[in-house]
Amino acid sequence: MKDIEITFKCGSEWKYVDPIVPASQALPQWYKDMEAYRDGSKQAVDGNLKACPAIFDSMTQGYILPLWTDIYVEPSGEFIDGKSIPRFAWTKGIEITHPFLSVGSKQQTAGMPSADAIPSPWLRLESPWLISTPKGYSTLFIPPFGNADILFEPISGIVHTDIFSTYIKLLTLWKGPEDFQGVIKAGTPMVQMIPFKRESFQHNLTITTPEDEKEEQACNHAVGKLGFMASYRKFFNPTTKSQYK
């Protein structure tokens, strides 16, 4: 199967920034430090998150866009509903000819539960990266899987990156404490980008059959042969099972 090519471009003045990387190269540190564990003494084998292939596959899909320069954060002295809101500024010493950071209003996200719970307005960060995908492919932008400790929370969205070539813009919510004063370092994972092919689907709602039950039992039996993670990769993961042929 031929690989689908996605292209990221940035201006020469940004050539030294942390590059966009496959998500498989940007696993969160807590996940890399975790030891895989499975309790094989039970009929229904239990394990921790490191032993679950579904979680690993979600973390390794698509690409990670890291923060391209430091962002300085400090209390602004302004308040919304009695709560302090921060002031944001880019690192000094970079020649910027475009406003890469703008602040929205609370009214623009009113009614969004996660935004209503945060006193700060939302931010738009305009990255130096252009993205393009082949015809028929769009890109899903979501918060990086497994990086819940990041102080920015991107608002998810889909862009038809095959026909709309634009700099990647991140609409984000600030989740830091009111009195936060410090630096969000360049290289911080900001958003996970997952390209996908646009297709139409139809769905069916039906009742399971004896054949469905047999197939489910066969799957459960198969994943016990090499241990759950290894068996799943060998028999059921399309991106890895070819390695075992």
Side-chain angles (χ1 to χ4, degrees), residues 47-235:
N48 65 358
L49 298 180
K50 192 65 172 284
C52 177
I55 292 176
F56 175 80
D57 286 345
S58 70
M59 289 183 177
T60 56
Q61 292 302 302
Y63 301 85
I64 294 293
L65 169 63
L67 186 59
W68 44 97
T69 185
D70 293 348
I71 293 182
Y72 291 83
V73 187
E74 62 182 2
S76 67
E78 300 178 7
F79 296 83
I80 293 179
D81 297 331
K83 296 182 178 181
S84 174
I85 61 174
R87 178 188 293 117
F88 302 89
W90 293 115
T91 184
K92 298 178 181 179
I94 292 181
E95 295 295 329
I96 295 179
T97 58
H98 193 84
F100 279 91
L101 187 153
S102 58
V103 181
S105 68
K106 289 290 289 184
Q107 288 75 18
Q108 291 173 297
T109 55
M112 181 181 179
S114 57
D116 288 344
I118 300 172
S120 303
W122 61 272
L123 304 171
R124 184 173 77 170
L125 308 180
E126 188 161 337
S127 83
W129 292 98
L130 283 168
I131 176 175
S132 62
T133 48
K135 184 177 180 180
Y137 286 81
S138 298
T139 305
L140 171 65
F141 295 82
I142 57 174
F145 283 115
N147 277 294
D149 57 333
I150 293 176
L151 295 179
F152 289 107
E153 179 183 325
I155 299 174
S156 300
I158 289 175
V159 178
H160 302 312
T161 44
D162 56 339
I163 56 179
F164 187 69
S165 180
T166 184
Y167 287 102
I168 299 172
K169 299 175 179 65
L170 306 182
L171 303 183
T172 67
L173 302 175
W174 170 254
K175 302 193 302 180
E178 292 183 48
D179 60 349
F180 183 90
Q181 185 168 357
V183 179
I184 310 300
K185 299 296 292 182
T188 299
M190 290 297 291
V191 69
Q192 188 163 352
M193 304 172 291
I194 304 177
F196 66 94
K197 186 176 181 180
R198 296 191 298 272
E199 296 180 294
S200 296
F201 293 88
Q202 293 182 344
H203 75 280
N204 296 312
L205 301 176
T206 185
I207 304 298
T208 57
T209 66
E211 287 72 23
D212 295 326
E213 297 294 338
K214 290 180 181 179
E215 183 176 353
E216 192 272 342
Q217 292 172 8
C219 290
N220 284 333
H221 177 71
V223 295
K225 292 184 177 180
L226 302 175
F228 190 86
M229 177 72 85
S231 295
Y232 184 86
R233 289 178 174 176
K234 178 176 181 179
F235 299 113

Side-chain angles (χ1 to χ4, degrees), residues 1-72:
M1 181 182 297
K2 183 180 179 180
D3 289 341
I4 304 300
E5 184 173 281
I6 182 170
T7 302
F8 303 102
K9 298 179 181 179
C10 69
S12 58
E13 68 273 24
W14 294 98
K15 62 184 178 181
Y16 297 113
V17 300
D18 286 17
I20 291 171
V21 295
S24 59
Q25 298 178 17
L27 291 171
Q29 191 61 46
W30 67 263
Y31 184 82
K32 291 190 288 187
D33 293 341
M34 180 182 287
E35 294 290 337
Y37 166 77
R38 295 203 67 81
D39 183 0
S41 65
K42 300 179 181 179
Q43 184 175 1
V45 181
D46 293 325
N48 65 358
L49 298 180
K50 192 65 172 284
C52 177
I55 292 176
F56 175 80
D57 286 345
S58 70
M59 289 183 177
T60 56
Q61 292 302 302
Y63 301 85
I64 294 293
L65 169 63
L67 186 59
W68 44 97
T69 185
D70 293 348
I71 293 182
Y72 291 83

